[in-house]
Amino acid sequence: MAGRDLRALFSTNDRSVQATEAFTNRSSQWELVAAALTEHLRHVSSSGFDPEDLEAPRSHLLVFHGVGGIGKTTLSRALEAALADAGRRPSQWGAPGWPADRILPVRIDLARSVGTDFEQIVLTIRAALTPIGRPLPAFDLALRRYWETNHPSEPLEEYLRRQGLGSRFGQALPQQMQSALADVAQALMLPGTIGSVVGQVTGALVAALRERRQTVRALEGCARLADLLEAEPDLDALSFYPHLLAWELARLPEGRRVVPVILLDTFEDIGDRTRRDLERLIQRTVWLLPNAFWVITGRSRLQWADPALQGQLDYTGPAAWPGLAHVTVPAARAPTRADTGRQVLIGDFSPEDCDDYLARRLTRDGHPLIGEPVRQVITARSHGLPLYLDLSVARFLELRRSGHTPQPGDFDHDFPALVARTLSDLTPDERHVLRSVSLLDAFDVPLATRAAGLAHEGPAQRLTERPFVRDHPFGLWPFHLHGLIRSAVRNAEDTTDDRWTERDWQQAAQRAFTALGEHHQAAPGPDRLLLIAFLRQGLRLARDHRLNLGWLTPAAWTYVSDSVWEPLAPPDTDGTGLDTAADALVELLSALARRQHQHRSHTVARLTTVIDSHLLPDDLHHMALYYRAKAHRDLGDSPASRAGMQAVADGQGRLAPAARRGLAHLARMAGDFPTALATAHTLGWEGRHHRVEGDIWWPHGDMDRAATAYAAARDEAEHHGVTGERGNSQAPRAFALAFTDPVVADDELALAEQLLTGVDLRATTLITHIAALARDAGRTDADVDDRAQVLRAEIRTAGVTYTELALDLALAFHHAVRDDQDQVAATIARLRENTRGGDFAYYSDIAAFMAGLVPAQPSGARWVDGEPATRRRWRALVAARRHLRTPR
């Protein structure tokens, strides 16, 4: 379904441009309406339906709510057209299962700009029923009395003409009302002169009803008619007259029986929520007209099922409106009989729908005027909001009118109109909270209140009920703003009277940052997910608003202490242009997390940028130095690594024990095992002494001693609750035992994989893959060589050079077990070539020991208990594996 877009049409002189109001999809909403209306028709047709039952729960309505500009009014119009004329039903919408002549749709726009009042609502509903072709005497008589009392000088015909109801529904209503008056007068046998005076007729009718005269038997069945006719005919009484209309509709003969479908649009504009005067009248009308079906569209959910509104509205609570008390129905599915949810959040357009909308909105010779590259940018920026698409179309025409050919870059744009539409129906406090939470990725009510600097939570609580606030009940913070609304509030020019200054934004950012810090410090016990959530929000705030690091410093230390390395830094971080300590901390933590997925040379470059900026305090500066030294070591640059580790160790800061461990590793890499072992004895838990000892003993072939040390390291990490360190200790334990007993190694590898689940430790994970090769050494059915080739490529991608040396050592073990001297020699040569710098030079010695060879070029390593003992142990491991070697 599409019509002419006059605003777009009058925005260009190019008559070849076709401007169309495109209607896109919304078939799921139609399915919801069709299913609910079908159920309603079944209900009102049943023998048990009583239109005068004032206590039965109501389920004769459907509410579509959503953020401003999402397409609610367009949907309301499309529903009215589809229900009125099957030929105007969009092609995507399926055919309904009811006779077309039974449905009588009427749409009423409640927008403030239209100026709809309650009288007009009641008259519109009655005028829409004129096609029935007969009066509705109980209702018509009451309405006529009301009109003549409250508008004595304005004929009803003139009012209908002035409001456009006559042209919309025809001129039959006054005649039908007059006919009802005349029929009652005749039934009462009143003189003709009296029969045209509504006051006297109603008085006589009330007397006749009270006396139960036979002459008014037709109206006697309406039990409350006399009471309503006796009541003062004011606006409050008018709101009860729909009860008479419900009674009249229920007693229509079968051939004339219809079901009104009343579509109330722009429901958010009916008035002030603190008073609810008009809403009370409308709600009473909905309740008293249960045989009509109501479709209400607006920005917010209806609150009628909230018991707290008792006293403000007549009918409240979940027992009265069971369908309004449930969680929002997803718009992707239609309700079933068991599904009582009648509040439907209208979702954003899908990317495909956005592109289709833009392609059909402006055309020339049947082809889209907006090119695909521009449509892609608009779609991505829109977050699926139709209003943004409309504004972008207007911008497209504006650019063309100025002689500029629109380009994709022209639509990286925020529209002030989005801000105005979003803020239009919020209270001042709600606006204040909205701007405050636009600084946050996610929030809860207490955090929003603190960020706004308010002493009471009410505005934040009310804001969470708005459709542009999305709810994820299982999130650490359950609420977040619609992406486009958040971007517009933060970035678009704000033309409202209460707009914020830059200082206001800065103060709000500081309040939000402080509130996050207080929540972080009050969090019960170590909670990794909570820590990451706090860091992500805090880092963004500190970076974007140039805040002091504050609580981020201890939080950063907690983050690195677990060695888990979840993705952390906010997007659009490239490490360039570091101006503040927050910039540098964001880049530091991002580099540490990304090093598990980047070549170590990238890590060195990023950390060097951080170090050279000199923006971080000393302790965080040492963090950057330490992890750069680790990356240098992984790349095989021992001198640079040693210099960095020594600087951190000399600084006597938090990472000094870890740096001394790094120096021990460097001594081990150089083959100075006695020095490495002596240093390990001084490290304690903070220096991971047990793991360092394991790293020393396995090159000696003393696998049991190494495995014991690694187990102690793992258990110590468990005791201290350091998740990453457990995996860092268990993986090398599995590697050591893979050379001794394949069966035991299976269990140890399984445990290592379990401990590494959810932990991003790339080098440690590679060790487990190498351990699996060592476990399978000597087997002819394990594809060891092919697996090693794949693993080698993965290692080189990661840039962890020492891990490739461990891979060659596992291969040397495999070839030695199989007594493949050529392959052993090739592996020894590769190891010697790759350790020419001196680090790990003893690996070629170990490969020779395995094969029972004397190293041609000994490394000069200083073994703890001498070379002969080490040679015997490695040779014994090969012999033991040959003894065990059978196909598994």
Side-chain angles (χ1 to χ4, degrees):
M1 182 182 68
R4 300 292 287 173
D5 180 358
L6 296 180
R7 186 170 59 178
L9 187 66
F10 281 84
S11 296
T12 177
N13 292 329
D14 189 348
R15 296 185 180 183
S16 65
V17 173
Q18 299 296 311
T20 303
E21 286 187 329
F23 181 76
T24 301
N25 201 353
R26 299 306 187 196
S27 58
S28 60
Q29 283 81 13
W30 166 253
E31 291 171 6
L32 285 165
V33 172
L37 181 53
T38 299
E39 184 68 23
H40 176 72
L41 291 171
R42 186 182 299 114
H43 173 62
V44 298
S45 300
S46 66
S47 59
F49 174 70
D50 180 6
E52 294 188 285
D53 186 346
L54 302 180
E55 299 179 358
R58 298 302 199 250
S59 60
H60 63 307
L61 79 168
L62 195 59
V63 180
F64 291 107
H65 64 104
V67 65
I70 199 66
K72 302 179 295 296
T73 294
T74 304
L75 174 64
S76 181
R77 289 171 176 164
L79 290 171
E80 180 191 29
L83 292 169
D85 181 357
R88 299 175 64 190
R89 188 174 65 243
S91 60
Q92 310 100 314
W93 292 5
W98 57 76
D101 58 356
R102 283 205 62 191
I103 303 300
L104 198 62
V106 52
R107 181 177 171 275
I108 302 173
D109 191 346
L110 301 175
R112 294 188 185 99
S113 59
V114 176
T116 304
D117 59 19
F118 185 66
E119 285 184 347
Q120 186 176 347
I121 292 172
V122 174
L123 282 169
T124 300
I125 294 172
R126 176 59 185 92
L129 294 172
T130 55
I132 296 173
R134 57 179 287 166
L136 304 172
F139 178 81
D140 288 352
L141 195 61
L143 181 60
R144 182 66 178 260
R145 176 171 176 257
Y146 169 87
W147 191 262
E148 293 194 2
T149 300
N150 292 277
H151 300 274
S153 61
E154 182 178 18
L156 182 59
E157 293 86 343
E158 176 61 23
Y159 178 86
L160 295 175
R161 184 196 63 77
R162 183 163 49 83
Q163 295 295 335
L165 297 179
S167 60
R168 183 177 175 188
F169 300 111
Q171 300 292 336
L173 178 57
Q175 289 79 7
Q176 290 182 3
M177 294 178 68
Q178 183 60 39
S179 175
L181 182 65
D183 290 345
V184 171
Q186 183 178 3
L188 294 171
M189 294 180 290
L190 297 175
T193 56
I194 297 177
S196 62
V197 180
V198 67
Q200 295 184 20
V201 172
T202 54
L205 176 59
V206 168
L209 289 171
R210 296 296 188 199
E211 297 168 5
R212 298 183 178 276
R213 296 180 196 170
Q214 187 72 20
T215 54
V216 292
R217 188 173 183 181
L219 294 175
E220 189 179 5
C222 186
R224 298 176 180 86
L225 175 58
D227 297 296
L228 288 173
L229 292 177
E230 283 183 322
E232 182 69 22
D234 55 16
L235 194 64
D236 195 58
L238 179 64
S239 68
F240 287 99
Y241 293 174
H243 174 71
L244 305 176
L245 190 59
W247 181 78
E248 291 283 11
L249 289 172
R251 74 189 192 107
L252 287 173
E254 187 62 36
R256 293 180 181 267
R257 189 164 295 178
V258 296
V259 173
V261 177
I262 304 171
L263 302 106
L264 299 180
D265 189 29
T266 329
F267 200 80
E268 70 272 9
D269 276 8
I270 63 172
D272 187 351
R273 281 192 171 194
T274 61
R275 295 183 57 191
R276 299 181 183 269
D277 293 338
L278 179 55
E279 184 178 6
R280 182 173 62 255
L281 299 176
I282 292 176
Q283 192 220 39
R284 188 179 293 160
T285 299
V286 174
W287 183 273
L288 296 177
L289 195 51
N291 35 6
F293 185 76
W294 301 77
V295 180
I296 298 176
T297 48
R299 292 191 184 183
S300 303
R301 298 184 64 193
L302 282 188
Q303 298 177 303
W304 296 353
D306 186 352
L309 292 184
Q310 187 173 10
Q312 296 186 63
L313 301 175
D314 290 353
Y315 310 96
T316 58
W321 306 95
L324 305 184
H326 288 65
V327 177
T328 300
V329 175
R333 65 178 178 86
T336 64
R337 287 193 182 188
D339 191 351
T340 56
R342 291 297 175 91
Q343 304 246 39
V344 183
L345 177 65
I346 298 184
D348 302 322
F349 280 178
S350 68
E352 293 78 14
D353 285 342
C354 290
D355 187 76
D356 178 68
Y357 183 93
L358 293 168
R360 293 192 291 115
R361 185 64 183 275
L362 297 175
T363 59
R364 176 190 284 142
D365 299 329
H367 298 288
L369 186 64
I370 304 176
E372 184 176 359
V374 172
R375 297 202 307 268
Q376 288 177 350
V377 172
I378 296 174
T379 294
R381 290 276 296 165
S382 73
H383 290 262
L385 187 66
L387 176 59
Y388 186 91
L389 304 180
D390 287 340
L391 294 171
S392 296
V393 169
R395 179 172 174 79
F396 183 91
L397 291 172
E398 178 186 353
L399 291 170
R400 290 180 82 249
R401 191 165 59 245
S402 65
H404 175 72
T405 301
Q407 301 297 320
D410 295 324
F411 295 88
D412 186 12
H413 186 74
D414 290 296
F415 292 101
L418 286 171
V419 180
R421 288 285 294 269
T422 303
L423 299 179
S424 61
D425 61 340
L426 301 183
T427 67
D429 278 351
E430 288 170 354
R431 293 182 178 204
H432 188 74
V433 176
L434 172 63
R435 291 186 173 101
S436 300
V437 298
S438 71
L439 297 166
L440 297 167
D441 299 327
F443 60 93
D444 57 14
V445 170
L447 180 57
T449 303
R450 288 295 313 279
L454 298 179
H456 50 290
E457 292 186 346
Q461 181 63 53
R462 291 194 300 272
L463 188 74
T464 63
E465 299 169 2
R466 300 288 181 169
F468 52 75
V469 177
R470 303 301 165 86
D471 184 3
H472 290 293
F474 301 109
L476 294 173
W477 290 291
F479 304 111
H480 69 276
L481 293 181
H482 183 284
L484 183 62
I485 300 303
R486 182 186 181 196
S487 174
V489 171
R490 283 289 294 116
N491 302 316
E493 182 181 358
D494 189 347
T495 59
T496 57
D497 292 340
D498 61 348
R499 58 187 176 273
W500 279 6
T501 66
E502 283 302 317
R503 181 171 175 78
D504 291 330
W505 283 108
Q506 188 68 20
Q507 291 175 337
Q510 185 63 63
R511 288 195 303 266
F513 183 78
T514 300
L516 283 170
E518 292 172 352
H519 284 201
H520 169 250
Q521 292 165 4
D527 187 324
R528 189 73 185 179
L529 291 177
L530 201 58
L531 170 69
I532 300 307
F534 280 121
L535 275 172
R536 285 176 179 157
Q537 297 231 65
L539 285 169
R540 180 187 291 277
L541 282 168
R543 182 199 64 182
D544 292 350
H545 299 277
R546 308 175 74 87
L547 305 178
N548 293 328
L549 295 182
W551 61 269
L552 284 176
T553 296
W557 282 107
T558 304
Y559 171 73
V560 301
S561 66
D562 272 353
S563 301
V564 178
W565 312 120
E566 302 93 334
L568 185 62
D572 55 48
T573 301
D574 58 10
T576 59
L578 303 183
D579 295 324
T580 67
D583 289 331
L585 182 57
V586 167
E587 178 62 8
L588 168 61
L589 297 182
S590 175
L592 296 185
R594 287 296 300 161
R595 71 196 178 107
Q596 306 299 330
H597 305 279
Q598 292 178 335
H599 196 279
R600 289 297 195 264
S601 60
H602 292 296
T603 304
V604 168
R606 295 181 69 177
L607 292 178
T608 298
T609 300
V610 172
I611 292 165
D612 291 348
S613 72
H614 298 289
L615 292 169
L616 292 174
D618 286 345
D619 56 345
L620 293 176
H621 184 76
H622 284 166
M623 182 190 291
L625 282 173
Y626 171 75
Y627 281 101
R628 186 179 67 171
K630 286 191 68 174
H632 277 307
R633 186 186 70 198
D634 292 344
L635 290 168
D637 190 350
S638 290
S641 180
R642 187 173 291 105
M645 292 294 184
Q646 192 63 59
V648 176
D650 292 344
Q652 298 299 312
R654 296 180 60 159
L655 284 174
R660 288 195 293 272
R661 179 179 77 243
L663 293 171
H665 282 313
L666 289 166
R668 173 180 59 85
M669 291 162 56
D672 188 357
F673 291 106
T675 297
L677 186 59
T679 304
H681 292 159
T682 69
L683 295 177
W685 151 248
E686 291 184 345
R688 310 297 192 256
H689 56 141
H690 289 309
R691 178 152 62 87
V692 175
E693 290 172 4
D695 290 343
I696 292 169
W697 290 121
W698 79 254
H700 287 76
D702 198 342
M703 300 305 186
D704 292 336
R705 199 169 185 178
T708 300
Y710 287 133
R714 180 198 61 208
D715 295 344
E716 202 168 30
E718 181 76 32
H719 174 74
H720 286 87
V722 182
T723 302
E725 182 59 24
R726 292 184 306 164
N728 276 334
S729 301
Q730 178 60 29
R733 173 176 165 83
F735 174 79
L737 292 175
F739 287 92
T740 61
D741 189 331
V743 176
V744 173
D746 277 337
D747 295 336
E748 298 297 332
L749 278 170
L751 178 58
E753 291 169 359
Q754 176 184 335
L755 295 179
L756 290 171
T757 300
V759 179
D760 200 355
L761 294 170
R762 193 173 190 184
T764 303
T765 302
L766 291 172
I767 290 295
T768 64
H769 298 331
I770 296 170
L773 291 180
R775 175 201 60 193
D776 296 336
R779 290 177 51 186
T780 58
D781 61 339
D783 299 323
V784 172
D785 290 315
D786 291 341
R787 288 159 55 197
Q789 185 175 357
V790 173
L791 188 53
R792 192 183 303 279
E794 186 177 349
I795 290 169
R796 289 177 176 174
T797 299
V800 189
T801 57
Y802 74 88
T803 309
E804 185 174 1
L805 301 176
L807 171 62
D808 279 324
L809 208 59
L811 283 175
F813 183 60
H814 171 65
H815 297 315
V817 171
R818 298 184 62 190
D819 198 20
D820 190 337
Q821 293 300 319
D822 290 341
Q823 288 293 343
V824 168
T827 303
I828 291 173
R830 188 164 57 247
L831 282 168
R832 188 178 298 121
E833 175 63 24
N834 291 336
T835 59
R836 283 190 301 174
D839 290 336
F840 298 109
Y842 55 85
Y843 273 31
S844 59
D845 294 351
I846 293 174
F849 297 162
M850 292 177 186
L853 303 174
V854 176
Q857 299 176 17
S859 66
R862 296 178 60 218
W863 303 99
V864 172
D865 54 356
E867 179 183 311
T870 302
R871 183 189 303 115
R872 286 194 300 270
R873 283 190 290 266
W874 278 109
R875 188 59 180 164
L877 289 172
V878 172
R881 180 59 58 88
R882 285 178 178 173
H883 178 71
L884 289 174
R885 191 181 68 182
T886 55
R888 297 172 61 206

